[in-house]
Amino acid sequence: MDKSNSGFSEAGLRKIRDVLTRHVDSGKIPGVVALIGRGEQTHVEAIGTMRHDGGAPMGRDTIFRMASTSKPVTMAASMALLDDCRLRLDDPVDQWLPELADRQVLKRIDGPIDDTEPARRPITVRDLLTSTFGLGIDLTAVGSPIFNAIFANGVFSQGAVPLPEQDEWMRRLGTLPLMRQPGEHWQYHLSHDVLGVLVSRVTGRPFETFLRERVLDPLGMKDTAFHVPADKIDRLPPSYAPDPQTGEFTVWDEAKTGQYSAPPAFQAGGGGLVSTVDDYHAYFRMLLDHGMHGTERILSRPAVELMTTNRLTPEQEAARSTLARNAVNVSFGQGQQGGWGFGMAVRTYRGDYAPLGQFGWDGGTGTSAYADPENGITGILLTQVGLTTAAPAQLIHDFWTTVYQAVDA
């Protein structure tokens, strides 16, 4: 990076490297790749190794399982359909997703799954885009019959068991009642998987095909996909889920024999992508540039504004903030931004070093990607240590703390 006009200080960039190195030297993070960008300038650090017991070094082109950091990118396919007027925000989704028509809703979120009442209205496209359609990974309902049923029915897309193809997945989802009335309450994750099915059914094509045509290929995101082909598999580290009690490294997913080594039956918009720091930088740079990539428009300016500004009502935002503050024992402080746009968090209060308006998200495999319109910066931090312990969350926090110290002007 040309430090003279990047807007990052030399001392600040050294501090970022020193802090990342300290995490790797701790033995809790085998390796990390980080990118910060401002304007046309980027600065990349690749530290440590791909395996916890050594092996190949991390590199700028290392491919990572993005987990929930997939959400901001996969959302772009839905926004392209809004731009094309093939979807409208307040269209009921029944015609494309009949499995979600005529829903029943739990009378009490912790009640029996057959104690229901009719939904007050149909589920709309807007409900899916804002994660308020009525079903999700709701930490206020842990241990309840509906929470257990989500996992028992095999519709959670970030588990160790591969999902069925999308029609069977939707059939299973359709057997569950809603936890909340449509549009009522922000709930995490499942809406993004439903959106992938919606895009596929509206276009009559696989979700990944449309996403690639409209977003990935125009942005040059050549390493972003729902699996890693054989000629790139050596660039994929194993994914670890350390033991929560002992911190001992446990492999959650291997590379050559794992679930990302072949095309999945279900292309999960909620957490199924693999990618690299440069691919994600291209995407978040496009969002900062109001939908433009060079001279090519990827998304309209209003579509990007909808994605990257808070879409929650004051009541929904208060519930999301309360959940984040009360779940630090589970989330290690991730998710405390306040607002939520389409597919990503939007910072609506200043709780740490980042300013209001910063947008992006984190992933349970140890990934983080945000952009900041006020300072014009992007930051991507990628490792493959799951958030079963605090170590990767602490790494993410420390990365952002040093990034904001490095901003010079």
Side-chain angles (χ1 to χ4, degrees), residues 71-89 93 97 125-126 128-130 191-200 202-203 207 210-212 214-215 269 283 298-300 303-304 306-307 342-343:
K71 291 175 171 68
V73 172
T74 59
M75 178 59 67
S78 300
M79 304 312 291
L81 290 177
L82 286 177
D83 278 345
D84 293 350
C85 299
R86 298 179 73 180
L87 287 175
R88 300 174 197 89
L89 285 168
V93 299
L97 304 173
V125 173
R126 187 188 301 271
L128 292 174
L129 295 173
T130 54
S191 61
H192 293 269
D193 292 333
V194 177
L195 282 168
V197 181
L198 178 64
V199 168
S200 175
V202 170
T203 62
F207 177 41
F210 183 74
L211 181 67
R212 183 162 304 288
R214 291 297 294 271
V215 181
Y283 182 78
I298 308 299
L299 295 172
S300 70
V304 173
L306 280 170
M307 294 170 74
F342 290 168

Side-chain angles (χ1 to χ4, degrees), residues 104-120:
Q104 290 289 309
V105 184
L106 290 178
K107 291 180 180 176
R108 286 182 35 177
I109 195 165
D110 59 349
I113 61 171
D114 57 356
D115 185 17
T116 62
E117 60 190 4
R120 296 188 197 113

Side-chain angles (χ1 to χ4, degrees), residues 173-226:
L173 191 74
T175 67
L176 300 172
L178 300 183
M179 302 162 87
R180 312 267 190 179
Q181 288 286 343
E184 181 180 83
H185 201 84
W186 183 87
Q187 293 175 299
Y188 189 53
H189 187 70
L190 288 180
S191 61
H192 293 269
D193 292 333
V194 177
L195 282 168
V197 181
L198 178 64
V199 168
S200 175
R201 289 185 177 174
V202 170
T203 62
R205 304 157 73 192
F207 177 41
E208 184 175 10
T209 302
F210 183 74
L211 181 67
R212 183 162 304 288
E213 178 184 291
R214 291 297 294 271
V215 181
L216 304 182
D217 283 352
L219 287 172
M221 297 173 69
K222 62 184 185 302
D223 291 321
T224 304
F226 286 101

Side-chain angles (χ1 to χ4, degrees), residues 60 87-88 100 107-108 124 169 177 223 225 247 280 291 300 306 325 331 351 367-368 374 379 383 389:
R60 184 167 182 160
L87 287 175
R88 300 174 197 89
L100 295 183
K107 291 180 180 176
R108 286 182 35 177
T124 66
W169 185 85
D223 291 321
Y280 257 62
S300 70
L306 280 170
R325 288 166 180 161
S331 65
T367 58
S368 181
E374 180 176 314
T383 183
T389 67

Side-chain angles (χ1 to χ4, degrees), residues 10 90 110 122 140 158 203 224 253 262 274 299 305 319 358 399 407:
E10 294 255 17
D90 294 304
D110 59 349
T140 65
Q158 289 290 276
T203 62
T224 304
D253 187 60
V274 295
L299 295 172
E305 289 171 352
Q358 185 206 46
F399 169 67
V407 177

